[in-house]
Amino acid sequence: MEDVIIVDQLSKSYGSTQAVNSISFSVRKGEIFGIIGPNGAGKTTTIEMLEGIRKPDGGAISVLGLTPHKQLRELNKRIGVQFQATAIQKKMKVKEALDLFSSFYKTNQKDHLIALLGLHEKLNANFEDLSGGWKQRLTLALATLHKPEILFLDEPSMGLDPHARREMWKLIHVLKEEGCTIVLTTHYMEEAEKLCDRVAMIYGGRLKALDTPENLLNEIPVHYLSFESKELEYDFLISLPSVVNVDVENHTFKLLSDDQQETAYYIFKYCHENNILLRNFRFEKGSLDDLFVHFLEKEQTA
Ligand SMILES: Nc1ncnc2c1ncn2[C@@H]1O[C@H](COP(=O)(O)OP(=O)(O)OP(=O)(O)O)[C@@H](O)[C@H]1O
C-alpha cells in the first residue's frame, strides 16, 4: 500500500530536552495511524512537525511528497488539522464558524459534514455553550471542510466522557471510510486499541514499537494474572520470579508476569502451604496499557 507519510530519523530538542529522538516510521494511505505514549512522550512535537508548524532539528519528513515546514501552503491545501477548542471565539455561533472556515476554500463539503456530524441541531448555538463532545465535533468539521487527504488529530477525545468518546471514534471511522488517512495522538490506550489500524508507541522521544494493536499484544508477551485475596501481600508477590508489576485495588490483584505458568505455580504453592484462600484466579491477555507498564518497568530495572 502507498505510503503517504515517510519519517526518517526525526529529531527535535527544546534546549536540553530531547523531545523527539531519531524516530522513523511510515503511514499508509487510508489507515488510522496512532501515535501513542504517556504525557511528555513527544507525541505533540512529532505531529506538529508532520503538520509543518514545528521545524525538525534533524531527519527528514515527507507528507504527500512535500516537506512540511518548507511547503506549508501547498501542504495546508491537502491536509486537515484539528484546532484546539480555545482557538475559536466563545461567542461565535456554530454556523458562523462553519461559514468563516468554508470561505477559506474554493470548494468545501460543509453541508455534507453538517449532516454527517449531526451539527444541524447546534447551528445557532454559541461555541462556549457546547458540551465537550459537540466542540470536538465542530473542530473536526472545521478541519475536514476542504476534504483533506490526511487529517491530523491531537488527542481527539481528550476530556470526553466514555459515550462521547465512542461517538467520536465512530465519526473518525466514517471519515476513514470516505478515503481520508488519519494520524492521531492519544494517551488513551483503549482508544488506540479500538480505533487505530497501526500504532507507533513512543516514550522518552523514542519509538518503542510499531505494529497493529493486535500484533503488538500477541507478539510481545504481556500477560497478567488476576485474583482476589485478603491475605496475600504486595511485597511477597513483587518478589516472585518473572513478576514485572503488581497492582492491587480492594484486595483484587493484577500481576504482570513474563511467565504466567511459573508465577501461578509459586502463588498456588505458597497459598497451599500457608492455607491462604484465592478467589477468581484468571489468566488474562494484556492491554496496550499493560504493554506500556511492561516497557517502563523493564527500562527502570535495566
Ligand atoms: N515549547 C516547548 N518548550 C520546551 N519544552 C517543551 C516544549 N514543548 C514540549 N516540551 C517538552 O518536550 C517533551 C515532549 O513534549 P510533547 O508535548 O511533545 O509530549 P506529548 O507526548 O505530546 O505530551 P502530552 O501528552 O503531555 O501533551 C516534554 O518533556 C515537554 O515538556
Side-chain angles (χ1 to χ4, degrees):
M1 200 178 280
E2 184 190 339
D3 286 335
V4 286
I5 298 177
I6 301 168
V7 173
D8 186 30
Q9 300 193 348
L10 186 66
S11 294
K12 176 77 189 176
S13 296
Y14 303 104
S16 60
T17 304
Q18 178 101 48
V20 175
N21 193 346
S22 199
I23 282 182
S24 302
F25 60 85
S26 304
V27 177
R28 298 170 188 155
K29 188 174 173 34
E31 72 177 342
I32 301 180
F33 186 89
I35 300 173
I36 65 171
N39 292 124
K43 305 181 295 293
T44 300
T45 304
T46 302
I47 203 167
E48 286 182 351
M49 287 191 281
L50 300 181
E51 293 163 0
I53 56 175
R54 222 171 257 290
K55 192 174 165 222
D57 295 338
I61 312 175
S62 162
V63 177
L64 298 166
L66 302 168
T67 302
H69 70 279
K70 290 186 182 158
Q71 293 168 287
L72 197 52
R73 277 176 83 102
E74 284 145 280
L75 188 72
N76 280 335
K77 290 180 195 154
R78 299 178 63 188
I79 66 164
V81 176
Q82 188 178 25
F83 287 93
Q84 297 299 319
T86 47
I88 298 170
Q89 285 181 24
K90 291 178 184 172
K91 298 284 177 201
M92 188 177 261
K93 291 190 190 306
V94 170
K95 185 178 175 315
E96 290 165 349
L98 286 165
D99 287 343
L100 176 68
F101 279 70
S102 297
S103 70
F104 300 156
Y105 307 109
K106 278 192 198 129
T107 56
N108 67 72
Q109 50 171 359
K110 186 179 78 177
D111 294 336
H112 172 62
L113 285 171
I114 290 173
L116 182 69
L117 303 185
L119 286 167
H120 278 298
E121 55 179 291
K122 300 289 177 189
L123 286 177
N124 287 314
N126 286 343
F127 186 72
E128 66 178 347
D129 297 330
L130 298 177
S131 67
W134 282 107
K135 281 182 177 149
Q136 288 291 69
R137 274 174 193 238
L138 178 60
T139 54
L140 194 63
L142 299 178
T144 40
L145 276 168
H146 55 308
K147 217 170 190 308
E149 290 161 68
I150 305 177
L151 179 62
F152 291 97
L153 308 171
D154 196 0
E155 300 279 359
S157 60
M158 177 79 111
L160 300 187
D161 64 42
H163 174 70
R165 184 170 303 155
R166 275 168 182 72
E167 289 294 306
M168 182 56 60
W169 295 349
K170 278 190 211 158
L171 295 174
I172 292 172
H173 255 294
V174 172
L175 293 171
K176 172 192 153 134
E177 278 159 22
E178 293 192 345
C180 193
T181 304
I182 292 150
V183 178
L184 60 90
T185 69
T186 183
H187 66 267
Y188 295 116
M189 297 301 154
E190 194 200 352
E191 177 158 287
E193 271 179 64
K194 301 256 167 73
L195 183 62
C196 297
D197 295 308
R198 290 192 308 143
V199 291
M201 189 179 265
I202 62 173
Y203 171 67
R206 287 188 177 275
L207 184 69
K208 296 290 176 189
L210 171 61
D211 212 328
T212 61
E214 198 185 359
N215 283 349
L216 280 177
L217 293 171
N218 283 336
E219 285 170 18
I220 303 176
V222 176
H223 301 291
Y224 61 88
L225 305 174
S226 71
F227 50 86
E228 292 165 34
S229 170
K230 289 194 172 159
E231 292 144 287
L232 282 175
E233 291 187 352
Y234 175 90
D235 287 348
F236 163 70
L237 294 166
I238 195 75
S239 71
L240 291 176
S242 305
V243 172
V244 180
N245 189 59
V246 178
D247 280 333
V248 56
E249 212 178 311
N250 296 330
H251 306 296
T252 298
F253 288 90
K254 191 170 157 184
L255 256 71
L256 199 57
S257 168
D258 283 340
D259 186 338
Q260 287 184 302
Q261 297 287 333
E262 184 185 40
T263 305
Y265 165 77
Y266 282 112
I267 293 172
F268 278 110
K269 183 169 177 284
Y270 183 81
C271 289
H272 179 70
E273 287 169 0
N274 295 281
N275 203 20
I276 289 175
L277 182 68
L278 278 181
R279 285 184 192 279
N280 291 329
F281 192 96
R282 289 193 305 270
F283 290 91
E284 308 251 23
K285 199 168 154 185
S287 65
L288 284 180
D289 263 329
D290 300 315
L291 189 58
F292 246 111
V293 174
H294 179 77
F295 278 134
L296 296 183
E297 297 284 332
K298 286 245 145 127
E299 223 155 81
Q300 280 160 11
T301 53

